[in-house]
Structure formats: structure tokens, C-alpha cells
């Protein structure tokens, strides 16, 4: 029997999509990658995922896992491979409030986990724009980051246990709830961030944290990037490390915001160079119980710190969110980033990480190089400044491959020189393969190839992604 | 040329120890494992480690890394292998206070890193009894835990970057200072906790945290273990997660303490069943600045929480440390654990992890099983209760292998049934190999074997450790 009827027999006809029915998953949401999968399989359980992977392996057909389809690197693109959608693996198997953990399947949408945790006064602290579509499987496979990494770490840091279907169809049960376990190699972290090239993540044990009882949020215009970092350190010292988000939006961001989303407003029309969105959050009653003056100590801390820095001239202007509506309006500006990015084509995007104190150096050095390569090119910059992660995009007008390569090379040269990474939180997929080949330590690449061969000798798990050919 | 003269030519005669000169490293500190290494090599740089590994590989001689020799599982035992001591790789290459990180070599003693961080008002938050001897290389190779895991995580969570010499003598430079980096597989975490079976860790980038400005420490007698967990949750809520240590010492611990270290005193002679050492620490001025009453808000928080629970009857007695001397005295009782453990032979020790709410179940179930197997056997229990890590030792009087196996089997049966791990923080080494064979998921074991073969095909890196033969 050929693969498709065999899959239909296994999963039921409605769970094997072919032809035009595959369209919603074969094209990435940015419209950059449009593939032609053999079919989309929608298994409904871990056992069905295992059987699907086995069947595909028997037919020598590659398997490419896909969950929320919100990726940015073409990691789910395939010509002729079998897309394995996790959308029916959508159970929250358990929430254990006293142990502060959630046991979830790969197809659970991130915002559903946020809601489920909130029902128990808990919080799943992974937060980014696509949270309404992104699913746990993809979030783990790309080791997603977002705005809260500064305080809680990337997805990796939030995962206690994992269930994985291996390339040979065996189920690897690492669903530990333990905070300490030194029984052999750390297999879990090998699958997190592997983008489906070593196996398919089907479920996970994720950490939850106490839901913050109060947030204090502000938008401010700093005099400069180094001044913004002084603010970050002062705030961390004053609050004992309660800063949850520290987002940087410079002048190019404001220009594009004004053009594409004028409804959202520009916070400080006279000071556009260094806009920061900052949020602190607390659970301790000492910080979240209203004072006799009717204010929250947490808000007072933020306000006092901002006031002191304004006094010193490091901050030029600032607005504190006085209501949840004002807080939402501040976040809306930051979360428009994807929309702003997609508004102009062609775009050359990057997702780079730098040592915290090197972000300004990067911006200072890249400007003249861009001027030389693509005079007059528009840029769009937005950064999770608290963890050194910069999304820097260039709009050169001209879509030529040569220009693209020269811009990326310029960015990567500086990033490498500053000890940074060309891939901070979006992963490698297809789009960063050339960067992997050019910039990744060859000893590390060689080791990755050995590991890939050892675990997936037939090279059927999302082949051609993450690791460039030798 | 045979290996020893070749090594002498490479490293100098004084850095190749043979015969009786190897004694201080060929015997573990507990005296359980006494090997007979071919020699001890003491390379002084990463390049020398690489050359040493290459030479040994050419001669087909296994290489076993050893650093502080404070391990508890026989992971550095060898008959005929080359011990590679990291003791001369002892440079703190850099401390970067503004980035809160330290770049250290594998032979740096843990307490030296504590001191170096303290010079910058920073803290390296890995803390356990052997800190005066243990070195970074061993700490990373075993993913060491200790008393502060509850707040800061195990060693793995504190490491940003790694430098490793691979089995073929290549140097793998993963010395990243980045907080986000998704450029391919997570190689770093594969070497952390691999106990030298995949390569030799020579240096690392470790995170530092702001030094706490104030500690509040107490010893208390809880009514029961579940009551102690209620205290932990209340304290975490009141402080916003500032509990650094939550250590459990039951009646058997107090009995042995009284016998072996009477000088340290018993905190509550009338209430010995559930003694807890708790410590909270803060950096925020709001908690660490003296009040008008001359007390610290942090201490007040701890005192108030304890008082409320005493009122409710969950706590039977409590003492707050009012000075650093009192704090040190409280810690001395807890840190006597290794000494108390070694005081009676034969000892059957364990290092188990359990879901937090299952620790009491374990103790309730193991007691009758022990009574049946080894009637009258003394036990010694001490736990990092905040992360579910229990060190449970049995002293059966009789050293027979059969009795040992029956005791371990009884412990492991219950641990496995409760979803725990037979190896929490000490690693596997030699002593836990049978447990790996019996208890570890066979799919996971098979995957570990594949990874080991892929990276170390000649099986020369600390062979025979961690992964049991098939």
C-alpha cells in the first residue's frame, strides 16, 4: 500500500489532507515559503504520531512537524515530505497548581495555556506576539524567546519534561516532574530547539510561576542606549530583579509605526531616538498591597526610579500606565512589530543576539556599512534589550540576491566580531542555513552532524533544516 | 615512544605523576573506590589538554578527567587509564561585573569563585558542603546541585558557555556570553552532567547574581512534613520567591548529630521529627534597609510568617538567627551531613529526587520495607526539601552484597513508583550504573549509547561510567 492510503487507514480520511487542503499549512504565514507537501497527517495521539512516523519511514518519506505555523525561518517548508500537524494533540493533560506545573500536548495553543494557568492564579511566563496561534510543540522545537526571557528564561528554562517520537517511531518518555535529575545525558535539551530534525515533540511538562498580583508599566524616552541600560540596572537593584520586559524601539520603529499604525500613536513625538517599554511585576504582598496613599509600592518604585533618572537627565520623558487600558495601549505599540515588519517588501530581517553592552556598538557600526551597500535603505529596529536580542530589518528597495547577501554579510560580520549570534530566538530553519554554514563554529557543526546521523541515520526528520550540508 | 615519556615531553616531568604520587587522586575522598591509574597528567592549558587527549587516543589509553575529587559515585575510578587532573587549569580568566558573568577554568575551586564574585558585590549561587575543594570542571560534569537550587537552579542553569576538549583532541569553543542563542543543537547541555564520558570541560562562562544584601535564617520544628511544605509556600508567597534554602533534617539526623558532633547541639531536643533550616535572601533596598524599629523588613517577613504558623500549630518551635555567628551555627549542623554519613560503616547511601509532595509518602513506605529487610538498621535522612532531593542512607550493620541490593531495590521501587529519580544531584559514575540498567527508560538508554558512540567511537572518554553495558 502506498503511504497516503496507509495513513488514511491509520488516522481516518479526514485526518490526511492532500492537494488544496494542505494549503493553509504548506505556506508560512509571512508568505515567504510555499511548499508542496505530499500530504498533511493529523494524528490524534502520541501513539498515532509514532505509527505515522513508522509508516513514513517504511516508505522513505521525510516527516516535517508543524504546529501553529507562526515560524519565521521556513522550518516547515517541504517539497514532497509529509507534514505532521500537531493540531489534534491539543489536550492540557493536567495542571498541578501545588507543584506549579502543566502537562500539555504539542498542539496546545500558547494563549490557551496562559488562560488555563490563570484559572489557578498561575502564569506561564512565555509571552510574544503570536501567542494566539503558536503551539507548544513549535515553541519547544524552536526554543522560543519573547519579552519575558529577561526574568524567566527561554522555553528551555521552562520545560521540566518531554515526550518525543523518535525517527524509528519509538516513544521517548522523559515526562519528568523533577527539579533535579542527574541520571545520564540531558536528552531533553537536545530535542528542545532541534526544530524537528531529531524527533517530534508530542507533549511536555512545563513550569508555571505564581501569577503576578500587580504590574507596573511605563514608556519612556531615554537619552541614549547606555542610559537605558543604567535604568535597567537601577530598576533591577531597586526591585530585586522584578523587571519582566525591557523593550527598545528607536527612531526607525517610530517612523514606521506612524506610517502603518497611526491609530496607535507615537509616545514622544519630540524624542524618538530611544523609546523603552518597561514592565515590572510582583507577587509579594509587600509590593502589591495598596498604601495609605492609594498607590502600589511596586508602581511607586518604578515611578521613583524614573523620576530620579529624569532629574539626572538620563530620561527625557516618561509615561506611567495608570490603567489596564493604558498598559494595553503601550504593549500594542510593541506588539505591532510583526505587522510593521511585513508592511514593506522586500525585507531583509535578522534576529541577532549581542552581549548587552554591545547593542549600541552594533547599531553604530552597521549604519555606515548599510549606507555604502544600500544607500537610503529604510531600517526597522526593535529589541528585547534586557537580553540583548535585536530584530534588525533592512528594506533595500531592490530584491536582488546579491544585495541581500551583502546586507546579511555586513550584519553578520559585526555580530560575529562582537561575540554575538546570528540566531537569537527564531531558530535556523531554512533561512539561516547559509549563516550556519558561514558563521557557526565548524567543530560544533561537525558534532551536530554526528548527533543527527546517530539519531536519524536515514535523514527523514525534517531533512535539510538547521544543519547545512558539508 | 610510549605514553608516559610522550606526556613528560609534552607537559614536563613534574606534571606527569606515576606510582605513589598518584595516590591522592586515585582514591576517592570517601575511600570507597581505590583505582590504579597508569598516570596522572596535569596539563596547564586547554591546548595541553587537547594534546594530552590526542596522545592518549593514539596509544588507545582511556582518559578520565578529575578535578576536586569530591565526587560520591566513583566517577573518576580507573584501572590503567590516564587521570587528567584539571588542577593547573586554575585561572579565573575574567569577571565581568556589568554583564554579571565569570569566565573560569575547570580547575578553579568553587569557593575561590565565591570569593572573586564577592569582590564585585556579586554571588555565584552554587553552594554545598564540599565548596572548599570541588572545582568548576567537576561541578559542571556532574551538574552539581546543593542548597540553593530551589532559587537559582542546578549548575546547568548557571552556565552560559563552555569550552570542551573532544575525544579526538579538537577544542569545541562554545564560550558564549549570550542569554539567547538558537543556532543549532544545544551542545553545551550535552556535556554538562556527562561526567567526562563525551569530552573534557576545560573552561566555562558562569552566571553571577547580585550578592544578597541581607539574609534571614531560622531553624524550626515543624509538626509534620506537609506542614513544612505549607510553610515553604507561605514564605515564597510573602517574599515573592526569595527562599534560598529549605533543608529538612528528621529524627534520625538529630540522633546521629548528637552522637558524632555533640558540640553542634540539637536545636529542639523535645521536637526532633521535622527540623527545618530555612533561609531567605534579598537584594532590594525595600527589604534590606533597616526600619525605624531597627529590624530588617526581610527578617520581619520571616518572623511574621513563622509566628503565624506557630499560632496555627503547624510549627512547634523556632529560632531566628540574630547574628552571623548564629547563622553559621545553624548551617554547621546541616553541613555536618557528609561527616555524619561517613561516621558509620557500612553505609548504603542514596541520592533521590521526588515530586515535592511525595517525600513524606516515600518515608512512610520505606520504613516497613526496611524493617523487613534489615530489622533495626539505623538510617540517616537529610533533604533539600525545597526541590524534592533526599539523601537517605541506611546502615544495616551487615556489609553483604545481597543485603545492599535488597535495600537499594526497596528504595528504588518506591522512588520509581512515585515518579522520582534514583540520581538527583550526585550523578551516576560507577555506583549508580546498576540503577541505570534497572530503572532508566530503555529508549533513553539506547539513545545515550548512540550519542556516546557518535561522539566517542573508540570509547576512550571515561569508559564504563554513566551508561551501563547493554
Amino acid at each position: 500500500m502506498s503511504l497516503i492510503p496507509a495513513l488514511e487507514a491509520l488516522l481516518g480520511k479526514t485526518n490526511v489532507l492532500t492537494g488544496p487542503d494542505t494549503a493553509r499549512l504548506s505556506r508560512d504565514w509571512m508568505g515567504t515559503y510555499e511548499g508542496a507537501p505530499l500530504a498533511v497527517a493529523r494524528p490524534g495521539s502520541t501513539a498515532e504520531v509514532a505509527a505515522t512516523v513508522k509508516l513514513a519511514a517504511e516508505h522513505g518519506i521525510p516527516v516535517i512537524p508543524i504546529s501553529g505555523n507562526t515560524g519565521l525561518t521556513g522550518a516547515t517548508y517541504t517539497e514532497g515530505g509529509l507534514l505532521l500537524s500537531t493540531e489534534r494533540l491539543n489536550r492540557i493533560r493536567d495542571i498541578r497548581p501545588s507543584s506549579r506545573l502543566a502537562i500539555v500536548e504539542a498542539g496546545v495553543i500558547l494563549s490557551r495555556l496562559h488562560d488555563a494557568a490563570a484559572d489557578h492564579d498561575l502564569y506561564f511566563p512565555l509571552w510574544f506576539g503570536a501567542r494566539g496561534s503558536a503551539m507548544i510543540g513549535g515553541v519547544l522545537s524552536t526554543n522560543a524567546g519573547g519579552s519575558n526571557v529577561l526574568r524567566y528564561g527561554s522555553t528551555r528554562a521552562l520545560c521540566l519534561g518531554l515526550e518525543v517520537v523518535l525517527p524509528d517511531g519509538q516513544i521517548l518518555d522523559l515526562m519528568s516532574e523533577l527539579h533535579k535529575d542527574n541520571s545520564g545525558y540531558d536528552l531533553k535539551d537536545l530535542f528542545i530547539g532541534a526544530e524537528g530534525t531529531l524527533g517530534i515533540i508530542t507533549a511536555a511538562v512545563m513550569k508555571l510561576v505564581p501569577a503576578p498580583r500587580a504590574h507596573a508599566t511605563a514608556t519612556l524616552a531615554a537619552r541614549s542606549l547606555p542610559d537605558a541600560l543604567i535604568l535597567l540596572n537601577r530598576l533591577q537593584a531597586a526591585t530585586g530583579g522584578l523587571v519582566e520586559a525591557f523593550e527598545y524601539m528607536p527612531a526607525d520603529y517610530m517612523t514606521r509605526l506612524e506610517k502603518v499604525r497611526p491609530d496607535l500613536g507615537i509616545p514622544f513625538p519630540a524624542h524618538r531616538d530611544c523609546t523603552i517599554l518597561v514592565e515590572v511585576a510582583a507577587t509579594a504582598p509587600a509590593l502589591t498591597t495598596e498604601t495609605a496613599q492609594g498607590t502600589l509600592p511596586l508602581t511607586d518604585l518604578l515611578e521613583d526610579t524614573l523620576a530620579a533618572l529624569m532629574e539626572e537627565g538620563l530620561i527625557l520623558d516618561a509615561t506611567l500606565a495608570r490603567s489596564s487600558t493604558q498598559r494595553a495601549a503601550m504593549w500594542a505599540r510593541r506588539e505591532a512589530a510583526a505587522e510593521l515588519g511585513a508592511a514593506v517588501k522586500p525585507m531583509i530581517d535578522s534576529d541577532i543576539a549581542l552581549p548587552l553592552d554591545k547593542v549600541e556598538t552594533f547599531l553604530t557600526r552597521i549604519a555606515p556599512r548599510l549606507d555604502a551597500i544600500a544607500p537610503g535603505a529604510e531600517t526597522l529596529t526593535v529589541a528585547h534589550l534586557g537580553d540583548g536580542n535585536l530584530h534588525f530589518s533592512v528594506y533595500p528597495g531592490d530584491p536582488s540576491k546579491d544585495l541581500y547577501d551583502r546586507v546579511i554579510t555586513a550584519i553578520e560580520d559585526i555580530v560575529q566580531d562582537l561575540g554575538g549570534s546570528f540566531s537569537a530566538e527564531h531558530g535556523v530553519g531554512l533561512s539561516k542555513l547559509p549563516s550556519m554554514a558561514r558563521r557557526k563554529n565548524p567543530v560544533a557543526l561537525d558534532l551536530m552532524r554526528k548527533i543527527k546521523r546517530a539519531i536519524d541515520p536515514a535523514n527523514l526528520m525534517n531533512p535539510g533544516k538547521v544543519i547545512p550540508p558539508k
Side-chain angles (χ1 to χ4, degrees), chain A:
Chain A
M1 194 163 20
S2 73
L3 180 59
I4 291 178
L7 285 172
E8 287 174 344
L10 175 70
L11 305 173
K13 278 215 169 206
T14 53
N15 293 318
V16 184
L17 314 179
T18 54
D21 291 346
T22 66
R24 70 179 165 91
L25 290 175
S26 59
R27 181 176 182 277
D28 77 317
W29 77 273
M30 293 280 287
T32 313
Y33 298 91
E34 187 151 5
L38 174 70
V40 175
R42 308 190 317 135
S45 66
T46 303
E48 284 190 0
V49 173
T52 300
V53 167
K54 253 185 208 156
L55 265 181
E58 284 163 21
H59 288 81
I61 300 291
V63 177
I64 298 90
I66 184 164
S67 58
N69 196 18
T70 64
L72 294 164
T73 64
T76 60
Y77 168 87
T78 177
E79 299 283 342
L82 178 68
L83 278 182
L84 190 155
S85 165
T86 62
E87 62 199 30
R88 290 179 62 228
L89 302 169
N90 59 2
R91 286 185 313 145
I92 295 180
R93 291 186 189 165
D94 203 1
I95 301 254
R96 305 256 305 278
S98 67
S99 306
R100 291 184 179 163
L101 55 85
I103 304 176
V104 291
E105 294 184 345
V108 170
I109 291 174
L110 184 51
S111 61
R112 224 184 105 212
L113 179 53
H114 288 147
D115 294 345
D119 289 346
H120 299 275
D121 205 23
L122 293 168
Y123 177 48
F124 180 62
L126 188 71
W127 195 263
F128 51 79
R131 61 189 174 277
S133 313
M135 294 171 183
I136 296 300
V139 152
L140 282 161
S141 292
T142 57
N143 185 30
S147 303
N148 284 354
V149 170
L150 175 59
R151 177 148 178 202
Y152 301 102
S154 296
T155 305
R156 188 184 301 291
L158 301 171
C159 178
L160 285 176
L162 217 56
E163 182 185 82
V164 182
V165 170
L166 297 176
D168 60 4
Q170 285 197 90
I171 297 167
L172 176 64
D173 179 356
L174 304 171
M175 292 290 274
S176 166
E177 302 176 16
L178 304 172
H179 290 264
K180 281 183 177 173
D181 185 6
N182 280 346
S183 54
Y185 302 157
D186 178 16
L187 299 176
K188 173 181 62 110
D189 282 304
L190 199 53
F191 293 98
I192 297 175
E195 304 184 26
T197 62
L198 298 176
I200 295 172
I201 294 172
T202 50
V205 182
M206 305 304 292
K207 291 186 208 172
L208 304 175
V209 301
R213 287 160 188 269
H215 291 88
T217 312
T219 301
L220 59 101
R223 192 174 55 183
S224 71
L225 254 177
D227 291 334
L229 286 179
I230 291 171
L231 166 64
L232 174 60
N233 286 331
R234 291 258 195 107
L235 257 180
Q236 292 287 39
T239 61
L242 300 183
V243 180
E244 299 231 328
F246 201 79
E247 304 288 305
Y248 167 64
M249 295 162 279
D252 60 8
Y253 192 90
M254 291 303 147
T255 304
R256 181 73 67 91
L257 184 68
E258 201 165 31
K259 206 180 300 172
V260 179
R261 291 296 305 271
D263 56 305
L264 297 177
I266 299 297
F268 309 106
H271 305 294
R272 294 162 174 246
D273 286 352
C274 189
T275 305
I276 301 280
L277 169 65
V278 59
E279 185 159 282
V280 292
T283 55
L287 288 173
T288 59
T289 309
E290 226 173 65
T291 63
Q293 290 75 40
T295 61
L296 286 186
L298 183 70
T299 313
D300 295 346
L301 268 179
L302 177 58
E303 195 164 13
D304 294 350
T305 310
L306 293 178
L309 285 158
M310 275 181 85
E311 190 96 349
E312 296 170 42
L314 280 66
I315 291 180
L316 306 174
D317 205 346
T319 315
L320 213 72
R322 295 288 178 191
S323 66
S324 58
T325 314
Q326 286 179 11
R327 180 184 169 217
M330 289 182 179
W331 273 104
R333 290 195 198 105
R334 170 61 185 86
E335 294 195 334
E339 190 184 343
L340 303 192
V344 178
K345 305 263 162 131
M347 168 172 80
I348 304 175
D349 68 329
S350 69
D351 163 39
I352 60 186
L354 292 160
L356 238 69
D357 50 357
K358 299 285 165 55
V359 173
E360 198 195 24
T361 315
F362 170 81
L363 293 172
T364 308
R365 286 206 210 161
I366 191 68
R369 286 204 54 179
L370 274 185
D371 276 347
I373 300 166
E378 206 183 319
T379 60
L380 182 69
T381 311
V382 61
H384 306 297
L385 190 62
D387 51 50
N389 177 194
L390 201 63
H391 299 298
F392 178 75
S393 304
V394 180
Y395 301 81
D398 167 3
S400 82
K401 176 82 174 68
D402 174 60
L403 188 61
Y404 176 92
D405 287 345
R406 284 196 293 153
V407 169
I408 289 291
T409 300
I411 294 172
E412 287 179 359
D413 281 349
I414 302 171
V415 167
Q416 191 166 26
D417 188 49
L418 296 175
S421 168
F422 56 86
S423 176
E425 61 175 8
H426 296 165
V428 175
L430 265 186
S431 69
K432 301 282 193 307
L433 268 187
S435 308
M436 281 289 277
R438 279 192 297 261
R439 306 292 176 173
K440 191 73 188 178
N441 178 327
V443 181
L445 268 183
D446 185 49
L447 207 56
M448 289 181 199
R449 290 193 184 101
K450 283 180 180 166
I451 292 167
K452 167 75 173 168
R453 265 199 305 272
I455 298 180
D456 180 25
N459 193 26
L460 288 177
M461 304 309 287
N462 206 5
K465 313 291 168 58
V466 182
I467 303 176
K470 209 167 177 173

